[in-house]
Amino acid sequence: MNIMDHGFLLICFLVILFLVIKYYTPKIKGYIGENKASKALKRLNNEKYTVLNNIELKIKGSTSQIDHIIVSNYGIFVIETKNYKGWILGYENDKSWVQAIYKYRRKFYNPILQNQGHIYALKHVLKNYQYLRYYSIITFTKRATLKTKTYTDVVYINKLVKTIKKYDYDYISEHTKQEIVTKILAAKTNHRNKDKALQANSNMNKNISCPNCGGHLMERNGQYGVFWGCTNFPRCKYTRNKK
């Protein structure tokens, strides 16, 4: 193999390496940001908040990948996580925001508008629950310096839990909350991604199987006290008194 062949192979390798870095770096950064947010959300009281991470919904031919959904007694929180560095500049209704690092400037789609699309998809899934309140929150890691002016909550991850807790009007029953969680999980298209946060937060007893459909039974609160209900509700309406 001559010098020209070595040079050609080296150029090919560098081109492939550049394409791999260009394609995967944003995904890696996004994953890191989502992971930091997931850790922060673990501080929430799991009796009041059920955290669902990385939920993908397909509505009318369009796919909506939602970083975090929190189903709570106080409403539905939809969280978009960004792991950008530099100054972040933007207003509520701008189509694009700007990432500025010294003289470098890059436009990216307004995450508030992005999250509105996520909420639209979620409302479609939960269309039978017309009274629900949806709270949009955009969260950035501390790599960014926020220079935004918005009505929607745009906060650093270390302020995320505090921002969620400021919405404290309790109006969703435990039974309805579990119904909503079940509907979201049934609608998501990335079923292979098990939601570990849900498993940790729910009072699910995997040692008790539903005699009707074979699903698991979950501890729920009803009008007459605590009971076991099937996680496949509303498709399966089996219940059992808790002894």
Side-chain angles (χ1 to χ4, degrees):
M1 185 177 292
N2 57 38
I3 296 176
M4 291 185 64
D5 291 335
H6 278 293
F8 176 76
L9 289 174
L10 178 61
I11 292 171
C12 289
F13 172 77
L14 292 174
V15 169
I16 293 172
L17 181 62
F18 170 78
L19 293 174
V20 168
I21 292 173
K22 184 177 180 181
Y23 180 77
Y24 282 105
T25 297
K27 292 181 178 291
I28 293 170
K29 288 181 179 178
Y31 173 77
I32 292 171
E34 290 175 28
N35 190 49
K36 287 182 177 179
S38 297
K39 288 181 179 178
L41 294 173
K42 288 180 180 179
R43 302 204 308 268
L44 291 169
N45 183 342
N46 57 30
E47 292 183 1
K48 293 289 186 178
Y49 303 89
T50 299
V51 180
L52 307 176
N53 300 310
N54 187 26
I55 297 294
E56 186 178 280
L57 303 175
K58 192 168 185 179
I59 306 299
K60 298 181 180 179
S62 298
T63 300
S64 185
Q65 191 275 322
I66 307 175
D67 293 339
H68 313 281
I69 301 171
I70 303 173
V71 183
S72 77
N73 299 75
Y74 315 104
I76 312 296
F77 297 87
V78 184
I79 301 170
E80 175 65 25
T81 304
K82 297 296 182 187
N83 188 21
Y84 294 165
K85 66 179 180 180
W87 283 19
I88 305 298
L89 304 100
Y91 291 88
E92 182 84 17
N93 297 314
D94 288 348
K95 183 176 181 181
S96 299
W97 284 9
V98 175
Q99 176 191 27
I101 307 173
Y102 299 105
K103 293 184 178 180
Y104 169 82
R105 286 176 174 258
R106 183 182 75 88
K107 289 185 176 181
F108 63 98
Y109 187 53
N110 182 344
I112 293 176
L113 301 181
Q114 181 182 2
N115 219 29
Q116 286 176 3
H118 296 160
I119 292 174
Y120 172 82
L122 201 50
K123 284 182 175 180
H124 184 83
V125 171
L126 302 175
K127 58 188 175 183
N128 292 332
Y129 302 88
Q130 299 291 330
Y131 59 89
L132 290 179
R133 297 179 181 180
Y134 294 83
Y135 302 107
S136 176
I137 302 177
I138 314 301
T139 184
F140 284 80
T141 63
K142 292 294 288 184
R143 298 171 75 235
T145 301
L146 299 177
K147 300 290 183 179
T148 54
K149 293 184 179 180
T150 64
Y151 299 107
T152 300
D153 291 307
V154 180
V155 299
Y156 295 110
I157 285 178
N158 64 332
K159 301 291 185 182
L160 180 56
V161 170
K162 183 179 180 180
T163 301
I164 292 169
K165 287 184 176 180
K166 76 178 184 180
Y167 300 99
D168 56 1
Y169 175 65
D170 190 331
Y171 71 100
I172 298 178
S173 69
E174 188 64 28
H175 179 71
T176 301
K177 190 173 71 173
Q178 297 298 345
E179 285 183 3
I180 291 169
V181 169
T182 301
K183 272 197 171 295
I184 294 172
L185 293 179
K188 76 172 187 174
T189 56
N190 52 338
H191 288 284
R192 63 183 178 278
N193 297 327
K194 293 184 179 180
D195 198 311
K196 294 181 180 179
L198 174 65
Q199 294 174 4
N201 288 343
S202 64
N203 297 317
M204 189 183 298
N205 191 331
K206 293 187 176 181
N207 297 319
I208 304 178
S209 297
C210 174
N212 285 1
C213 68
H216 300 303
L217 297 186
M218 178 181 289
E219 183 181 300
R220 293 174 173 170
N221 293 315
Q223 183 179 358
Y224 302 105
V226 180
F227 66 97
W228 293 108
C230 183
T231 54
N232 289 326
F233 182 89
R235 286 177 293 175
C236 177
K237 294 183 173 59
Y238 177 83
T239 60
R240 178 193 299 177
N241 292 332
K242 186 178 180 182
K243 298 179 180 179

